[in-house]
Amino acid sequence: MRIFVPKETGAGENRVPLVPSTVGRLVKLGAAVEVESGLGLSIHRPDREYESVGAIINPSREAGLAAAELILRLRKPPLSEIAGFRQGVIHISYLDPFNEHELVGRLASGGVSAISKEMIPRVTVAQKMDALSSQANLAGYSAVILAAERLNKIFPMMTTPAGTIRPVKVFVIGVGVAGLQAIATAKRLGAEVEAFDTRPVVEEQVKSLGAKFVKIDLGETGQTAQGYAKELTPEQLEKQRQVMAQRCAAADVVITTAQVFGKRAPRLMTRAMVEGMRPGSVVVDLAVESGGNVEGARLGEEVDVNGVLVIGVANMPGRVAAAASEMYSSNIGNFVEHFWNKDEKRFVLDRESDILKGCLITHGGEIVHPTIRELIQATTNGVTAPPPA
Ligand code: NAD
């Protein structure tokens, strides 16, 4: 089977979809892997490293895309490239299908079998393929390192002949994969850490990392079968903000990571809450790419709000691009290997597989994912779509 890996072209994207070790794995499976020349340069992996594991270096992106039976990349494909794909190609990447309706429509009409990395089900067997987790983990780490760099205080307690310096206080809001790693990283640096999440199961995890769980009685909250948070009512959100305002005011660093799958991120910190923090404090909004948790956070910018720095850095995992690429690449390699038929030496679209049912968005000229199909149909008809399961 002919695989092509194009270079990432998105502005500011320095991660690489496949590192040489994964390419080597695919070659050993019997795949003919072509990579666009310069694929790994942003993480200092020259073409010769890919060649040494059996890849063919293709200088022509168009020719590579046109001949491939399987395309592997990180970011969603530009609309302009779809017409140049071979009929029936399998395409694996992030797709953002809840928002990218035109793209999904074009992939369907172009006969592409498009697999969305963010839709891979959160089940144990698919954990090793889960790029949302691997990248969120690094985002949580990077957020703390960036905050530590911007803060004019030190994280650990320090007792010296010149006196004792108190540890900084970090408040983490939203304790999924990114939040847990943010807590662990801040603790390692010596901070005092508090955290909050609407999912009650999180309390034990927060405590096991040595942090304090902030209790807010919001009534019924809970989580979906996949472990995602349910959306709060406006009344619940207001109550949450009231308690959180005090915790934010006491913190030197606030890191927000709250997301509701398939929806805009909840607005958790108002401008008044940011202004209620001590000047010199730092807020990192890790949800800024899906709408933002913090009022005033701007995508790709660091904004000064009355002396409080609100950081809305895009692509936080890209700050540690070599590690992020290793992990994403491994997720892709594990996914391809799972569906690889060793005898036929090809990726097989096993439509009976629950993993594939969860993440195959378009196939055979149609949108085959039921939730995305309903969402797009409803939006097209001007009807409000049902929430994702
Ligand atoms: P996410 O990125 O969707 O959301 C981040 C966090 O924000 C979540 O913990 C969510 O509960 C929280 N949140 C939502 N609204 C909030 C609010 N109003 N206030 C505070 N917090 C709010 O979540 P994620 O990191 O992708 O993880 C979701 C779950 O999936 C976690 O339980 C995780 O452990 C689980 N998971 C399971 C697997 C698996 O294979 N079994 C793999 C990855 C993740």
Side-chain angles (χ1 to χ4, degrees):
M1 184 174 216
R2 202 160 170 175
I3 300 179
F4 183 63
V5 191
K7 231 168 114 170
E8 292 298 313
T9 51
E13 184 53 85
N14 50 3
R15 290 172 295 173
V16 167
L18 258 74
V19 298
S21 58
T22 310
V23 170
R25 265 173 74 192
L26 299 180
V27 170
K28 282 200 183 109
L29 289 175
V33 187
E34 280 185 13
V35 307
E36 185 176 349
S37 53
L39 178 74
L41 287 183
S42 59
I43 55 162
H44 311 289
R45 310 299 296 265
D47 286 351
R48 65 170 183 282
E49 285 194 36
Y50 288 91
E51 268 175 318
S52 72
V53 292
I56 296 160
I57 309 298
N58 190 340
S60 167
R61 182 184 184 89
E62 287 70 30
L65 290 171
E69 297 162 277
L70 174 62
I71 297 172
L72 304 176
R73 57 148 59 108
L74 196 146
R75 295 272 177 163
K76 60 197 170 205
L79 286 174
S80 58
E81 281 185 354
I82 296 171
F85 294 169
R86 176 180 176 143
Q87 256 302 311
V89 66
I90 302 169
H91 187 285
I92 306 177
S93 70
Y94 284 122
L95 276 185
D96 191 13
F98 284 103
N99 296 306
E100 290 288 341
H101 298 183
E102 187 184 358
L103 174 63
V104 170
R106 294 274 283 276
L107 288 164
S109 60
V112 179
S113 297
I115 290 166
S116 160
K117 284 294 284 171
E118 52 280 75
M119 298 291 283
I120 292 178
R122 308 311 273 284
V123 292
T124 308
V125 63
Q127 258 174 340
K128 61 186 181 187
M129 314 169 195
D130 182 357
L132 280 189
S133 290
S134 71
Q135 304 301 299
N137 200 349
L138 293 170
Y141 167 87
S142 294
V144 173
I145 300 299
L146 182 58
E149 222 170 81
R150 294 290 185 269
L151 196 69
N152 60 7
K153 298 181 177 180
I154 58 166
F155 268 45
M157 184 166 101
M158 218 177 256
T159 306
T160 76
T164 297
I165 297 201
R166 293 212 33 81
V168 302
K169 289 185 187 336
V170 175
F171 182 32
V172 177
I173 305 169
V175 192
V177 180
L180 282 173
Q181 187 55 254
I183 294 173
T185 306
K187 287 294 292 180
R188 274 186 222 122
L189 288 177
E192 273 177 17
V193 185
E194 291 188 328
F196 173 72
D197 196 295
T198 54
R199 291 181 298 117
V201 293
V202 167
E203 181 170 354
E204 263 325 295
Q205 299 167 6
V206 168
K207 286 182 179 163
S208 73
L209 288 170
K212 187 177 158 215
F213 188 75
V214 173
K215 281 200 187 262
I216 308 177
D217 183 8
L218 297 174
E220 171 71 24
T221 51
Q223 61 183 39
T224 67
Q226 295 239 9
Y228 288 116
K230 291 189 177 157
E231 196 172 26
L232 298 187
T233 63
E235 294 74 29
Q236 286 175 311
L237 269 177
E238 187 43 42
K239 195 166 179 190
Q240 177 182 352
R241 285 189 207 105
Q242 281 168 15
V243 178
M244 281 191 346
Q246 300 152 18
R247 305 323 311 149
C248 291
D252 301 288
V253 172
V254 174
I255 294 176
T256 72
T257 79
Q259 310 259 10
V260 178
F261 189 69
K263 303 209 169 198
R264 189 192 183 286
R267 183 54 55 86
L268 300 179
M269 273 185 91
T270 59
R271 194 177 168 94
M273 287 163 75
V274 176
E275 287 176 349
M277 294 177 70
R278 277 185 301 273
S281 304
V282 175
V283 178
V284 184
D285 186 348
L286 270 186
V288 70
E289 281 167 296
S290 50
N293 294 144
V294 182
E295 189 178 357
R298 287 209 290 267
L299 182 62
E301 290 184 35
E302 299 187 12
V303 186
D304 187 301
V305 179
N306 279 2
V308 177
L309 189 67
V310 178
I311 300 178
V313 164
N315 189 9
M316 194 63 91
R319 290 177 59 83
V320 286
S325 303
E326 290 279 347
M327 290 199 191
Y328 184 85
S329 175
S330 172
N331 293 144
I332 286 263
N334 292 332
F335 185 84
V336 172
E337 198 165 353
H338 185 84
F339 291 100
W340 193 261
N341 182 310
K342 290 198 172 84
D343 301 324
E344 296 175 25
K345 294 192 173 38
R346 58 188 304 109
F347 183 99
V348 175
L349 278 175
D350 173 7
R351 302 290 306 280
E352 295 307 309
S353 153
D354 285 337
I355 297 176
L356 206 70
K357 279 183 198 160
C359 61
L360 182 67
I361 309 299
T362 63
H363 177 69
E366 289 174 16
I367 303 172
V368 291
H369 191 285
T371 310
I372 302 300
R373 189 179 50 230
E374 278 168 37
L375 176 73
I376 292 181
Q377 274 170 359
T379 312
T380 315
N381 298 336
V383 180
T384 308

